């Protein structure tokens, strides 16, 4: 009796297609996941860009039907400012911007009256300039109820016990002054010292030293920087308006300064002004 045998099966040489298909499926899934993650990061990046733009006061508007982007011409360099200059405090009673045009103190013409917005812009520009000049540790900036305060530290601008401006500081002070010329605000230059009594034949007390320093800064602003003397005043406080206690050498160094105060409109109300008088 003959036994029937089933025909011999040939080896399947295309089984690799199954593994290859699985590999392509997994690879596709990986790329889909990467694309999804990329889209999420893009959204976060756009949110971060918008947040930074608002933080630094930029308001570039997007074109109709297009996503808003941070235009290259809107980007300004952000200097590496020291911690003491990194924050410009704004008081809750910061005065409003005030009138946009005005003739303040005579000779101001049609210059713009600086308010809070302009104070911020001036402070940012001065900070960037100081970093470029390497003077960021010699000047402190703050915006207060009175206006913009530019504090010239003694170490950068005066020798100890002297009211004469250091020659090395003249160019920096010139650059600061040039940024103030375009505004019609009044300026008060205030001299301050520490509490250590002065021992000098030139100055009787710290009052005379602080006043002499403030006056010399005013002479420089008028003669070298072109500011009108009609909008300037000098005050000497001696040691009686300290920023901090005079307990340590570091604290006393902070108190030795000359403040250039760009007065807000409300703060300048009490400043003396020349008046035309008629005789009878």
């Amino acid at each position: 009796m003959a036994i029937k045998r089933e025909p011999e099966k040939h080896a399947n040489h295309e089984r690799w297609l199954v593994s290859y298909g699985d590999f392509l499926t997994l690879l596709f899934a990986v790329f889909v996941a990467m694309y999804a993650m990329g889209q999420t990061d893009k959204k976060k990046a756009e949110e971060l860009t918008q947040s930074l733009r608002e933080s630094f006061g930029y308001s570039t508007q997007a074109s109709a039907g297009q996503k808003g982007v941070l235009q290259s011409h809107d980007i300004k360099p952000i200097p590496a400012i020291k911690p003491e200059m990194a924050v410009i405090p704004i008081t809750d009673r910061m005065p409003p911007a005030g009138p946009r045009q005005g003739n303040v103190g005579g000779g101001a013409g049609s210059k713009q009256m600086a308010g809070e917005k302009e104070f911020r812009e001036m402070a940012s520009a001065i900070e960037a300039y100081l970093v470029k000049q390497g003077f960021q540790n010699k000047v402190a900036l703050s915006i207060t109820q009175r206006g913009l305060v530019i504090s010239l530290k003694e170490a950068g601008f005066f020798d100890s016990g002297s009211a004469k401006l250091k020659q090395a500081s003249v160019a920096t002070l010139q650059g600061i002054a040039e940024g103030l010329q375009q505004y019609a605000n009044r300026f008060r230059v205030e001299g301050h010292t520490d509490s250590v009594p002065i021992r000098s034949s030139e100055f009787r007390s710290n009052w005379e030293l602080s006043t002499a320093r403030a006056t010399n800064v005013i002479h420089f602003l008028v003669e070298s920087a072109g500011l009108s003397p009609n909008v300037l005043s000098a005050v000497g406080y001696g040691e009686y308006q300290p920023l901090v206690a005079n307990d340590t050498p570091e604290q006393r160094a902070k108190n030795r300064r000359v403040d250039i105060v760009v007065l807000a409109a409300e703060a300048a109300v009490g400043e003396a002004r020349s008046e035309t008088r008629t005789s009878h």
Side-chain angles (χ1 to χ4, degrees), residues 14-203:
E14 297 179 350
R15 292 183 60 184
W16 64 273
L17 290 173
V18 177
S19 299
Y20 181 72
D22 291 340
F23 172 78
L24 289 180
T25 301
L26 292 173
L27 191 61
F28 176 77
V30 169
F31 281 115
V32 169
M34 292 176 64
Y35 175 79
M37 293 172 63
Q39 289 298 101
T40 302
D41 291 343
K42 182 179 179 181
K43 181 179 179 182
K44 290 181 178 179
E46 289 177 354
E47 293 175 352
L48 176 61
T49 299
Q50 180 63 26
S51 176
L52 290 173
R53 184 187 301 129
E54 293 175 355
S55 298
F56 291 106
Y58 302 123
S59 57
T60 302
Q61 298 296 328
S63 302
Q66 297 180 348
K67 294 183 178 180
V69 296
L70 190 62
Q71 303 294 339
S72 60
H73 63 269
D74 288 329
I75 301 174
K76 298 181 181 179
I78 305 301
I81 301 167
K82 297 296 182 181
E84 64 186 30
M85 295 177 58
V87 178
I88 302 175
I90 305 295
T91 65
D92 294 334
R93 296 180 293 173
M94 181 66 202
R100 308 311 301 171
Q101 302 290 336
N103 187 354
V104 179
S110 59
K111 291 182 179 180
Q112 179 178 339
M113 191 72 180
E116 178 181 352
K117 177 177 178 292
E118 290 75 24
F119 290 151
R120 290 178 180 272
E121 292 174 352
M122 278 191 281
S124 297
I126 292 173
E127 284 176 348
Y129 172 76
L130 291 172
V131 170
K132 183 178 179 181
Q133 296 294 314
F135 255 68
Q136 64 268 35
N137 293 326
K138 303 296 192 289
V139 179
L141 301 171
S142 62
I143 299 176
T144 71
Q145 174 185 354
R146 297 192 298 159
L148 173 63
V149 181
I150 306 166
S151 292
L152 312 177
K153 300 181 182 180
E154 180 197 61
F157 294 86
F158 301 95
D159 290 323
S160 179
S162 172
K164 183 179 180 181
L165 280 166
K166 288 183 178 180
Q167 189 61 36
S169 69
V170 168
T172 300
L173 187 55
Q174 177 82 30
I176 293 174
E178 288 175 358
L180 308 177
Q181 292 176 343
Q182 59 182 310
Y183 297 103
N185 299 60
R186 297 184 67 86
F187 301 84
R188 291 187 67 188
V189 182
E190 304 171 345
H192 300 268
T193 68
D194 59 24
S195 59
V196 177
I198 190 171
R199 295 178 176 85
S200 169
S201 59
E202 185 177 1
F203 303 108

